[in-house]
C-alpha cells in the first residue's frame, strides 16, 4: 500500500482573540509558509494492530497503545476510529513533521491534529469530510487548551480566511483587496491555556470593565470584516493597533510584544498587534508590499527571533 500524506497549514488571528472565547466574533487566516505533514505507512510485517507514532516536533517516538488515552494524538486516533465505526487500526507507522513553532500562537496543536486526522481517515479508506475533521480537532483542542473557542481548528481545517463566532455558522471570507502581513516571533513561548485562564480570572474580578473591552473588540472585528470584504484593510491598519491596545487592557501583552508593535509602526506598518494568546508568541503587522522587508528587518533588529512575510491575496486564502 502506498504511503498516505496529508498536510495542514498554520494560522494567525487577525483580530478578536480572547474576546472570541466570550462569544465575540474574531477573524483568522491560514498561513501556508508553515505547515504540518502526516505520513502513514502500512507495516504488513508488524504485530496485528501495532501502530508506531513518530513525531520529532513533540519529541514522540512510541507505540500508540503506550500513550495515555488523554494524549492528544491518542485521543485523535480514538475519535477517528469512533467516527468510522472501527474498533482496531491496522498496523502502521504514523510520522508527523511540523515546521510550526510550538506555543507561539501559530496553531501548531490544531495543525498537527488536523493533518493526522485527515491522513488517518484516508489511510483507513474513508476520508472524513472537513466538518467531521473539524469536530474531532475541536475535541482534541479541548485537551490542549481547556476551553478553546474553536477558531484555530476551524481556520486550519478549512484553510480559508474565516469570520468566527461561537455557536454561529462559519463564515468564509472573500478578501476585497490583498495585503501583506509581517509575522514576528517574540521568542517567548506561551501557553494559550494559561493566558486564557488568566483573562478569565481577571474577568471574574472585574466583570464590567472586561465585558466592555470584550464588546469593543467584537465591534472592531465586525468593522474589520466589513473592510476586508468591501474595502482596503491596509488603509485602515490602525484598527489592528486599536485591537492591540484593547488586548493590553485584558492583560495579555508584554513589554516585548508592545516594543515589537511600536517598532513595526515606526518602520512603516499601518497597523500592528499581538496575535493569539499573548504573553509571548507572535505579533503581526500590516504593511504595504514595498515596506515588508524593511519592517521585518526592523523587527529582527529589535528582538524578534524570526519573521514570516505572508501575502493575503484578494478573493483567496493566504499563500
Ligand atoms: O492558539 P492561540 O495562542 O493563537 O490562541 C487562540 C486564540 C484565543 O482566543 C486566545 C483562544 C481561543 O481558543 O480562541
Amino acid at each position: 500500500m502506498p504511503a498516505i500524506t496529508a498536510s495542514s497549514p498554520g494560522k494567525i488571528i487577525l483580530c478578536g482573540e480572547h474576546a472570541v472565547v466570550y462569544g465575540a466574533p474574531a477573524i483568522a487566516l491560514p498561513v501556508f509558509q508553515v505547515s504540518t505533514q502526516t505520513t502513514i505507512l502500512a507495516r504488513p510485517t508488524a504485530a496485528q494492530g501495532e501502530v508506531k507514532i513518530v513525531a520529532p516536533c513533540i519529541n514522540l517516538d512510541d507505540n500508540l497503545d503506550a500513550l495515555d488515552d488523554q494524549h492528544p494524538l491518542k485521543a485523535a486516533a480514538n475519535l477517528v476510529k469512533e467516527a468510522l465505526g472501527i474498533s482496531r487500526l491496522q498496523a502502521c507507522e504514523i510520522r508527523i513533521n511540523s515546521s510550526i513553532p510550538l506555543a507561539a500562537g501559530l496553531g501548531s496543536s490544531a495543525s498537527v491534529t488536523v493533518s493526522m486526522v485527515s491522513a488517518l481517515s484516508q489511510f483507513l479508506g474513508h476520508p472524513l469530510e472537513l466538518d467531521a475533521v473539524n469536530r474531532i480537532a475541536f475535541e482534541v483542542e479541548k485537551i490542549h487548551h481547556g476551553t478553546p473557542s474553536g477558531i484555530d481548528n476551524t481556520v486550519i481545517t478549512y484553510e480559508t480566511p474565516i469570520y468566527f463566532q461561537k455557536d454561529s455558522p462559519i463564515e468564509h471570507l472573500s478578501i476585497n483587496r490583498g495585503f501583506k502581513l509581517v509575522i514576528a516571533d517574540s521568542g517567548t513561548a506561551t501557553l494559550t491555556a494559561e493566558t486564557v485562564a488568566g483573562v478569565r480570572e481577571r474577568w471574574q474580578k472585574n466583570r464590567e470593565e472586561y465585558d466592555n473591552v470584550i464588546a469593543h473588540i467584537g465591534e472592531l472585528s465586525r468593522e474589520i470584516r466589513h473592510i476586508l470584504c468591501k474595502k482596503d484593510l491596509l488603509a485602515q491598519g490602525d484598527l489592528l493597533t486599536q485591537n492591540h491596545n484593547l488586548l493590553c487592557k485584558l492583560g495579555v501583552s508584554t513589554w516585548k510584544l508592545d516594543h515589537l508593535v511600536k517598532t513595526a509602526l515606526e518602520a512603516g506598518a499601518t497597523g500592528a498587534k499581538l496575535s493569539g494568546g499573548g504573553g509571548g508568541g507572535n505579533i503581526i503587522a500590516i504593511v504595504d508590499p514595498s515596506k515588508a522587508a524593511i519592517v521585518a528587518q526592523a523587527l529582527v533588529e529589535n528582538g524578534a527571533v524570526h519573521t514570516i512575510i505572508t501575502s493575503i491575496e484578494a478573493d483567496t486564502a493566504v499563500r
Side-chain angles (χ1 to χ4, degrees):
M1 187 193 228
I4 299 284
T5 298
S7 180
S8 293
K11 71 99 213 337
I12 53 102
I13 300 205
L14 185 66
C15 58
E17 54 273 90
H18 286 291
V20 69
V21 174
Y22 297 80
I27 297 173
L29 309 169
V31 173
F32 294 96
Q33 278 92 345
V34 287
S35 61
T36 306
Q37 278 79 37
T38 299
T39 300
I40 307 189
L41 303 116
R43 294 169 67 215
T45 55
Q48 207 189 9
E50 189 181 274
V51 177
K52 196 167 156 48
I53 183 150
V54 183
C57 51
I58 49 169
N59 285 324
L60 180 69
D61 184 344
D62 215 331
N63 278 341
L64 194 62
D65 273 350
L67 303 180
D68 187 89
D69 279 347
Q70 280 304 298
H71 188 288
L73 293 177
K74 174 88 168 276
N78 285 342
L79 288 164
V80 170
K81 285 196 295 186
E82 196 182 302
L84 299 179
I86 288 170
S87 57
R88 177 185 255 211
L89 297 176
Q90 64 199 82
C92 63
E93 179 171 322
I94 303 175
R95 286 187 200 158
I96 303 175
N97 281 300
S98 184
S99 61
I100 308 178
L102 298 180
L106 290 177
S108 60
S109 59
S111 182
V112 164
T113 309
V114 169
S115 78
M116 185 207 164
V117 167
S118 306
L120 189 56
S121 66
Q122 281 178 55
F123 176 75
L124 295 169
H126 301 283
L128 285 167
E129 301 277 336
L130 293 184
D131 290 353
V133 172
N134 192 29
R135 271 195 299 277
I136 292 176
F138 182 48
E139 291 309 311
V140 178
E141 283 290 279
K142 288 182 192 164
I143 299 175
H144 279 289
H145 302 307
T147 54
S149 61
I151 191 168
D152 281 17
N153 47 282
T154 304
V155 66
I156 286 170
T157 300
Y158 295 97
E159 302 187 7
T160 62
I162 57 159
Y163 181 79
F164 180 92
Q165 192 160 15
K166 269 208 271 192
D167 303 323
S168 297
I170 303 154
E171 204 180 306
H172 299 276
L173 297 179
S174 145
I175 311 289
N176 181 52
R177 183 124 186 209
F179 53 88
K180 277 194 191 293
L181 286 178
V182 181
I183 303 170
D185 190 344
S186 68
T188 310
T190 169
L191 286 179
T192 306
E194 283 176 12
T195 55
V196 169
V199 172
R200 184 158 303 273
E201 218 178 288
R202 293 189 288 281
W203 173 75
Q204 273 158 353
K205 286 190 191 133
N206 199 348
R207 242 167 133 139
E208 202 180 322
E209 189 185 325
Y210 271 65
D211 279 341
N212 272 336
V213 175
I214 288 165
H216 198 156
I217 294 176
E219 280 162 29
L220 276 180
S221 290
R222 277 185 275 276
E223 195 176 345
I224 290 173
R225 165 184 170 236
H226 173 74
I227 291 164
L228 272 179
C229 299
K230 304 274 181 221
K231 297 182 176 179
D232 177 9
L233 186 61
L234 178 64
Q236 284 176 271
D238 181 55
L239 294 172
L240 297 185
T241 314
Q242 287 179 35
N243 190 171
H244 179 76
N245 294 336
L246 291 167
L247 287 163
C248 292
K249 289 193 179 167
L250 293 183
V252 294
S253 192
T254 61
W255 177 87
K256 188 156 189 193
L257 293 172
D258 290 346
H259 180 62
L260 292 175
V261 163
K262 190 162 165 271
T263 300
L265 294 172
E266 283 171 2
T270 65
K273 65 183 276 293
L274 72 85
S275 176
N282 281 273
I283 68 128
I284 54 171
I286 184 165
V287 292
D288 184 86
S290 66
K291 303 245 174 76
I294 299 165
V295 170
Q297 177 68 24
L299 286 164
V300 168
E301 281 163 11
N302 280 274
V305 293
H306 181 62
T307 59
I308 296 169
I309 298 174
T310 189
S311 295
I312 289 80
E313 308 293 345
D315 265 346
T316 61
V318 184
R319 293 271 168 203

